[in-house]
Amino acid sequence: MQYQFPDNFYWGSASSATQSEGAAFEGGKGENIWDHWFKTEPNRFHHSVPATEASTFYANYKSDIQLMKDIGHNSFRTSISWSRLIPDGTGEVNPEAVDFYNKMINELIVQGVEPFICLFHFDMPMAMQNMGGFESREVLEAYADYAETCFKLFGDRVKYWFTFNEPVVPVEGGYLYDFHYPNVVDFRRAATVAFHTILAHAKAVSRYKAMEQDGQIGIILNLTPSYPRSENEADLKAANICDLMFNRSFLDPAVKGEYPQELMELLKQYEQLPQFEDGDCELIASGKVDMLGINYYQPRRVKARENAVHPDALFMPEWFFDYYEMPGRKMNPHRGWEIYEKGVYDILTNLRENYGNLPCYISENGMGVEGEEKFVKDGQIQDDYRIDFIKEHLKWLHKGIQEGSNCFGYHLWTFIDNWSWSNAYKNRYGFYRLNLTTQARTVKKSGEWYAEVSRNNGFN
Ligand code: BG6
């Protein structure tokens, strides 16, 4: 086999609670920000499709896990919905949710699919948002209690935990760029939410470690590399600031237990530094992860700004760079994102050289396709483009491992086409096609191909 992966390599896919369970108002679940936002602004969602339309995993988890098995999964990541488990965010635990998550986790284990469980994938309980979300320190405490409840309930069987999925995204979407609730545009508040998310993460890690459950805990970060247009000093500076703001703002505290000095100085200079309290630095230092999940879809290419910032413009990361479209870049025309497979190798190399080569896995990589039905032939989506996409990324991943990177798995985003926040079902990513009317799942060509890769633990 030309591309053979290490023994016990994890092959699988990822999804999240809100994006797959459905039953948003059933089983005693409380409201989360997505349920609330849809009620107030349904037009913000593609074709006005809400999370209630997510792909019925709550009802069909058993047969869905069988489908995972059919395409060779030995692992699967999903999340626990905080508002399902603890409807008010704090206090009473919902017994129906405990029952559901127990059954789902047990079924995965019985089928030989290792559960990777994330505690927070964008879905803040509305009761917690009403208290200020992660702007409030009380909410951090509530999150830590929720995390501990999960460890107590499921930690005897779940051995791979993740505190957050892409924690920078709710900061960007909710507090800078207006694509998540609560649609605030305010850098200082964004920085506070980011900082408090790291404190919440660290609290969860400390509580987990104190319980000595013989598992591992990590965080999932979208480590989109920032590539400068050129080696010109001004372009390098632009790329470095991007890296500090979007990557190292979470990567450094999670892996090294402290923020980069350069980032602190930059925020201080522009009066955007969040409020530190006594003990915060020690807490962050105690939140170092055992392992890392890496989400990678596309690179970020930047250049030095070409124009001066308008004197009345709000402070934004874009004060320091312009986006750059590299001539000749390879595109996924169905999603409008660049494809740059080597990015995955660059991330692994950076972790190996600068972050102690901690254990990591690719927790998301994938290709969204709008209008994918046009690729149906003989009743099946012929997604050769997705097979090529995965293969080319896996080749770079393989090279990274050959050179010593400590990577233990690869998960595609996603298993069955799922509901994706305000994009709802616009972009399809799954190994299985979802028929939105009948909820029927049909394996795509990529699913069959992946089954072979997983069975052979590699490909030619
Ligand atoms: C990832 C998120 O960044 O992107 C997922 O972790 C999301 O939750 C996925 O569904 C795809 O996003 P989109 O906008 O292309 O549907």
Side-chain angles (χ1 to χ4, degrees), residues 15-16 19 77 121-122 165-166 169 180 220 222 295-297 335 337 364 367-369 413-414 418-429:
S15 186
S16 82
Q19 295 183 263
R77 191 242 312 183
H121 195 126
F122 305 171
N165 175 77
E166 300 187 351
V169 170
H180 278 198
I220 291 169
N222 45 326
N295 292 357
Y296 174 65
Y297 290 88
R335 176 68 179 84
W337 281 354
E364 286 180 32
M367 190 173 169
V369 175
W413 186 268
T414 181
N418 65 20
W419 181 85
S420 188
W421 320 112
S422 55
N423 279 335
Y425 284 106
K426 185 173 176 203
N427 309 306
R428 303 297 189 106
Y429 283 86

Side-chain angles (χ1 to χ4, degrees), residues 227-230 235 299-304 306 321-329 338:
Y227 295 104
R229 168 182 55 181
S230 75
D235 285 343
R300 177 185 279 112
R301 297 193 189 276
V302 295
K303 60 185 179 186
E306 305 207 321
F321 61 87
D322 278 345
Y323 284 103
Y324 170 62
E325 279 188 15
M326 185 180 74
R329 69 201 174 131
E338 182 180 344

Side-chain angles (χ1 to χ4, degrees), residues 376-394:
V376 174
K377 206 175 141 208
D378 303 326
Q380 187 185 46
I381 302 272
Q382 302 297 311
D383 54 346
D384 297 271
Y385 43 83
R386 186 170 285 111
I387 296 174
D388 286 345
F389 180 98
I390 301 172
K391 214 189 237 174
E392 295 309 312
H393 282 86
L394 283 176

Side-chain angles (χ1 to χ4, degrees), residues 204-337:
V205 170
S206 308
R207 299 225 194 160
Y208 184 67
K209 296 212 162 148
M211 290 170 79
E212 299 185 359
Q213 284 192 332
D214 188 30
Q216 304 182 44
I217 188 157
I219 191 166
I220 291 169
L221 301 178
N222 45 326
L223 295 178
T224 308
S226 306
Y227 295 104
R229 168 182 55 181
S230 75
E231 292 301 301
N232 185 300
E233 216 178 291
D235 285 343
L236 294 175
K237 184 175 168 203
N240 182 45
I241 291 185
C242 265
D243 197 39
L244 285 169
M245 288 203 179
F246 297 115
N247 294 327
R248 296 186 60 197
S249 52
F250 284 94
L251 180 61
D252 282 43
V255 177
K256 296 185 172 172
E258 60 185 13
Y259 281 106
Q261 206 46 44
E262 255 185 291
L263 177 62
M264 302 280 279
E265 275 156 25
L266 184 76
L267 295 191
K268 205 186 269 170
Q269 188 186 340
Y270 289 89
E271 295 173 2
Q272 303 290 335
L273 200 62
Q275 189 78 43
F276 277 66
E277 290 182 4
D278 284 352
D280 285 349
C281 292
E282 292 73 11
L283 177 60
I284 293 172
S286 72
K288 286 195 224 168
V289 293
D290 301 319
M291 52 157 183
L292 201 61
I294 301 161
N295 292 357
Y296 174 65
Y297 290 88
Q298 55 168 343
R300 177 185 279 112
R301 297 193 189 276
V302 295
K303 60 185 179 186
R305 274 192 70 102
E306 305 207 321
N307 299 306
V309 174
H310 189 281
D312 293 338
L314 299 180
F315 183 76
M316 280 289 191
E318 287 73 10
W319 275 30
F320 303 99
F321 61 87
D322 278 345
Y323 284 103
Y324 170 62
E325 279 188 15
M326 185 180 74
R329 69 201 174 131
K330 180 172 167 185
M331 289 297 290
N332 164 10
H334 316 291
R335 176 68 179 84
W337 281 354

